[in-house]
């Protein structure tokens, strides 16, 4: 049988007190008395250690019934209102940090586009005026009758892609990095003529899905001269005067063709 803890402690204290043989009887008696008293205190309050150091005991692991019951204390109407406020606040925070199809992220800067075309695009004064007029008229119309369609032609280095970037920068806060700006390159995205039927279906679904997600979407088609005629025909309906096609309106979208 193993000795109890308080007996072991008492023997240890007695041993320590007896190490020095020079202690007189009175000192030894006092030491023994103090050891006995301390042993009694520890025996009576054996859980005192657990109050200062976390362990797997009820003192440290307990269920707060008051806190968990707060939701139950609300009536259904109050709970519904609280949930609604939380959802609204969540959407507001999401729109603030994550790009959405919202005026905070899509806001046309006509002055900025005019300045960029005049100061950054060289040798294209006529094109600059036509582009600025077309974009200004389209973006200032809350109910356009058809999408804005721009076709830019010229040799490599004349600024076609650069103009597309300037337009995107003037409309979207994220510019060309916006999730609502979509760029297609014929030789990259549609390289094989034998897959034209698949390309047509995919392209139509892609355009329809993105416009459904955001009516202010922009589509840029590069290397149009290398694109299969069937692909061009597949998107022609989206460029015309239709109120809706299969329930989707394309009238606020922008299509830019580069050749």
């Amino acid at each position: 049988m193993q000795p109890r803890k308080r007996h072991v402690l008492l023997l240890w204290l007695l041993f320590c007190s007896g190490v020095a043989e020079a202690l007189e009887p009175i000192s030894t008696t006092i030491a023994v008395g103090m050891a006995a008293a301390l042993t009694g205190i520890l025996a009576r309050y054996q859980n005192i250690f657990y109050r200062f150091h976390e362990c797997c005991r009820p003192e440290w692991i307990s269920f707060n019934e008051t806190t968990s019951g707060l939701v139950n204390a609300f009536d259904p109407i109050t709970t519904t209102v609280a949930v609604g406020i939380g959802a609204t606040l969540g959407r507001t925070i999401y729109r603030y940090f994550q790009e959405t199809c919202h005026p905070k992220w899509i806001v046309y800067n006509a002055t900025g586009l005019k300045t960029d075309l005049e100061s950054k695009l060289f040798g294209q004064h006529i094109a600059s005026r036509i582009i600025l007029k077309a974009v200004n008229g389209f973006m200032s119309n809350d109910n356009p009758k058809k999408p804005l369609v721009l076709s830019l032609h010229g040799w490599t280095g004349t600024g076609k892609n650069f103009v597309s970037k300037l337009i995107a920068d003037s409309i979207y806060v994220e510019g060309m990095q916006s999730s609502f700006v979509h760029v297609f390159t014929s030789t990259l995205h549609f390289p094989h003529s034998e897959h034209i039927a698949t390309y047509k279906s995919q392209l139509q679904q892609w355009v329809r899905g993105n416009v459904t997600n955001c009516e202010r979407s922009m589509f840029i088609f590069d290397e149009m001269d290398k694109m299969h005629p069937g692909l061009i025909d597949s998107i022609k309906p989206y460029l015309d005067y239709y109120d809706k096609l299969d329930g989707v309106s394309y009238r606020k979208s922008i299509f830019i063709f580069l050749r």
Side-chain angles (χ1 to χ4, degrees):
M1 179 181 299
Q2 294 182 351
R4 299 182 64 179
K5 291 183 178 180
R6 62 173 177 269
H7 294 160
V8 174
L9 179 61
L10 179 58
L11 292 173
W12 182 79
L13 290 173
L14 287 173
F15 172 78
C16 291
S17 63
V19 170
E21 297 179 355
L23 290 177
E24 68 275 7
I26 296 177
S27 300
T28 303
T29 303
I30 294 175
V32 171
M34 292 179 63
L38 179 60
T39 303
I41 292 174
L42 293 177
R44 184 174 181 181
Y45 301 100
Q46 55 184 332
N47 295 329
I48 190 170
F49 174 77
Y50 300 126
R51 297 185 180 276
F52 298 96
H53 190 278
E54 184 182 20
C55 61
C56 188
R57 293 177 61 86
E59 291 90 339
W60 292 95
I61 304 175
S62 61
F63 176 62
N64 192 334
E65 186 175 353
T66 303
T67 303
S68 65
L70 287 178
V71 176
N72 295 330
F74 291 121
D75 54 89
I77 297 178
T78 305
T79 302
T80 303
V81 172
V83 172
I85 293 175
T88 302
L89 182 60
R91 285 193 297 268
T92 301
I93 295 174
Y94 180 81
R95 287 174 179 173
Y96 187 84
F97 292 103
Q98 179 69 34
E99 184 187 26
T100 59
C101 188
H102 187 269
K104 179 187 181 302
W105 294 96
I106 303 176
V107 52
Y108 177 54
N109 184 354
T111 303
L113 179 59
K114 181 176 184 296
T115 301
D116 286 343
L117 288 173
E118 291 177 348
S119 61
K120 298 179 180 180
L121 185 64
F122 303 103
Q124 301 290 345
H125 305 295
I126 297 177
S128 296
R129 288 196 297 268
I130 295 174
I131 292 169
L132 182 62
K133 181 179 179 180
V135 177
N136 281 346
F138 179 76
M139 294 302 299
S140 62
N141 188 353
D142 291 331
N143 188 29
K145 294 182 179 180
K146 66 185 296 293
L148 174 63
V149 180
L150 298 175
S151 182
L152 308 179
H153 299 257
W155 297 103
T156 301
T158 54
K160 302 186 299 297
N161 286 282
F162 185 63
V163 169
S164 301
K165 178 183 181 303
L166 295 181
I167 295 174
D169 290 343
S170 70
I171 297 176
Y172 305 94
V173 173
E174 296 292 318
M176 289 294 293
Q177 302 304 315
S178 171
S179 57
F180 308 120
V181 176
H182 314 282
V183 181
F184 300 92
T185 302
S186 298
T187 55
L188 176 63
H189 295 98
F190 319 111
H192 307 294
S193 58
E194 62 270 23
H195 299 314
I196 185 63
T198 301
Y199 293 153
K200 288 171 62 175
S201 177
Q202 291 176 342
L203 181 57
Q204 289 176 335
Q205 292 178 11
W206 183 259
V207 173
R208 184 185 304 112
N210 282 287
V211 175
T212 300
N213 184 43
C214 183
E215 60 183 0
R216 285 292 187 188
S217 294
M218 176 184 290
F219 302 92
I220 302 173
F221 294 88
D222 197 6
E223 299 182 347
M224 280 294 294
D225 54 315
K226 300 176 184 177
M227 183 178 289
H228 193 284
L231 281 175
I232 301 175
D233 293 338
S234 69
I235 61 175
K236 281 178 65 177
Y238 305 139
L239 314 179
D240 216 335
Y241 292 88
Y242 290 106
D243 184 25
K244 288 184 178 181
L245 288 173
D246 295 329
V248 180
S249 175
Y250 299 86
R251 295 182 299 168
K252 291 187 177 182
S253 301
I254 299 177
F255 293 82
I256 301 178
F257 299 99
L258 310 179
R259 181 173 179 178

